[in-house]
Amino acid sequence: MNTSSGIGLSTMKPCRRILVSCKNSSLFGFPFLNSNYLITDNLSKLQPNLNDLPDSSNRVVGFTRTNTPNWRAFCLSGSDSGQSRFFSGCPLNTSNDRLVSNIANVASDVRNHSTSIESRVNQNSFEKIYVRGDLHVKPLLIETIEEAHKVLENVEKDKDYEARVEANDSLGVNRDNLNQRSDGSMVFRSTLKREVSEVEKEAWKLLRGAVVNYCGLPVGTVAAADPADKLPLNYDQVFIRDFVPSALAFLLNGEGEIVKNFLLHTLQLQSWEKTVDCHSPGQGLMPASFKVKAVPLEGRNGEFEDVLDPDFGESAIGRVAPVDSGLWWIILLRAYGKITGDYSLQERVDVQTGIRWILNLCLTDGFDMFPTLLVTDGSCMIDRRMGIHGHPLEIQSLFYSALRCSREMLTVNDSTKKLVAAINNRLSALSFHIREHYWVDMKKINEIYRYKTEEYSTEAINKFNIYPEQIPSWLVDWIPENGGYFIGNLQPAHMDFRFFTLGNLWAIISSLGTPTQNEGVVSLIEDKWDDLVSGMPLKICYPALEYEEWRVITGSDPKNTPWSYHNAGSWPTLLWQFTLACMKMGKPELASRALASAEKRLLVDQWPEYYDTRHGRFIGKQSRLYQTWTIAGYLTSKMLLENPEMASMLFWNEDYEILENCVCGLNKNGRRTKCARVASRSPSSMSEPLLPQIKETHC
Ligand code: GLC
């Protein structure tokens, strides 16, 4: 079929850089914050290159929105999918000619990349509308023409909603209490029920100042916005992982639009055009970060369009692969639905496809033997060489969390049922593996101390052939009588006994650990407060690699010297995750204590990215100031503590279905095997079964 018909979603208007009013509707169904201050401030801050150019009076920043829905139809012929497709461009002009030529460019570009698009199109029989932002990004997809109409109509109608997001004081802190949209659906309330402190006011101001716009819409926050920083490297970009606490702060404050825009725009960036040394990243990879660039419009003197430029690691220092980005994207998508009550976003066809792509990438068979994800060094928050290649805990905890999120969000139908089964199997296998092999406490270390080695058998107790000499001397004295933690990494003949905070916190939040293990981690943190929290919460890992170990494992990295940066520096952004974990474990007072100690220093110290020294006494030697996730992490912690019911939407309890889903498929192949998960035959240190009531016959 070669049918073509269509509807363009935007009326393009010329738009001066100095924006006068932002009360118009947006393509994404969200009105702008009614704050001129926000937009102009943001633009002047984040697009300084524009200011440096001559003829600033005539500059145009792309906009794709309307005052009144004014639809224009454009036809794309030659589509072999038989679907109608429609595009709108971000660059603006009143001239229809220009618009048509934009559309044509987009169309040809899309054909060049038709494989991915067609596969999306063909998966469903919906009529779809693609909304094209620029030449670097995938088309955005809205499921039906009706839906697109509705989006624009709703914006016009939804004055209540517009009022809700309107900033009602100079800080833009939302205190409206509307809780019902005009279409009847519920919206969330701002969680702020009290006057904010001076520290919080400053934090909000800075967070809003860090917002980045794309085509006039807020789409994220820069990693750091220190006006004195003359060499921001990539800290002027929106990092996927860094935006998560910003997103939560906005969501908890009743502001969903920036999060929705972020989710949709990053979805457009998902593994598209970029290549690294002539090799394209796998379909589904999410970039580590992206930048909004103002690019001169060809043949249009002094006019610019906004372009999203993603970095999949091809520019990043050390060319590290951003494995955690897709996992964070899924986690945030769920959080958006939970907090706003707007589940329509996760139900969209393009969003569902995005989830599937990420999962396919994670669940693809490779050479690895374990249910844990096999990754290269520096593939997560620690994005430099730190000896975390292989199966680092942080990735495993985020992977498990993302699987749990996906299980809730994926629409189950014939085309997804295999994937859903794979998710269930992986959840079960992963939790067993981590609970059994990553957990250490006094008892387990004592077992390792007496391990026999070189055991050749499926029955081996020391499965990974760990030589007891590996138990580091610091651990012998450090491990408390009560409590324990999940080790940083596990490979053949290698246990990385360092304590990595983020991975342990997410093991608690997602219930990757058993209830007893999760309690054990909190108990250890309490016990080791001076090492992990005091000074400045929290250590990214403990202890530091020193001397020869530092030289060999970091490659003599001068940024990761002992007790600095990733090598056991203290990172205030970890506060929000600590808060969530403490709240889940019924210990919010621990989080309050940590928050109170951070609060004393963060504002005075200008919101550093990290602190150095064993007890976090100095601002990190190379630490950025005005680091956005430090600011947002602080605000999010505050709001979570005040809103336990919101916090409870962001963590998971033990899921017995996962545990009962014994997936030891080996004997289906006729191979003789014993299910490893028959609750511990080995002299395990666990006082509770890893998987309750599992009968051997299940396997
Ligand atoms: C550093 C951190 C990384 C973060 C980035 C931007 O590279 O290690 O986790 O995303 O800075 O803040």
Side-chain angles (χ1 to χ4, degrees), residues 223 235 239 241-242 380-381 383 565-566 571 609 627 629:
Y235 282 81
F239 278 74
R241 71 175 77 84
D242 291 41
C380 50
M381 176 184 179
D383 55 0
Y565 198 46
H566 300 143
W571 290 67
E609 178 187 16
Q627 180 80 19
W629 69 355

Side-chain angles (χ1 to χ4, degrees), residues 222-224 234-235 237 239-243 288-289 317 324 380-384 394 540 559 565-566 571 573 609-610 624 627-629:
V222 283
N234 52 355
Y235 282 81
Q237 303 202 9
F239 278 74
I240 309 303
R241 71 175 77 84
D242 291 41
F243 182 66
S289 61
I317 295 166
D324 64 340
C380 50
M381 176 184 179
I382 295 178
D383 55 0
R384 285 167 91 89
E394 174 172 336
I540 195 167
K559 204 167 173 184
Y565 198 46
H566 300 143
W571 290 67
T573 189
E609 178 187 16
Y610 66 94
R624 252 63 198 183
Q627 180 80 19
T628 307
W629 69 355

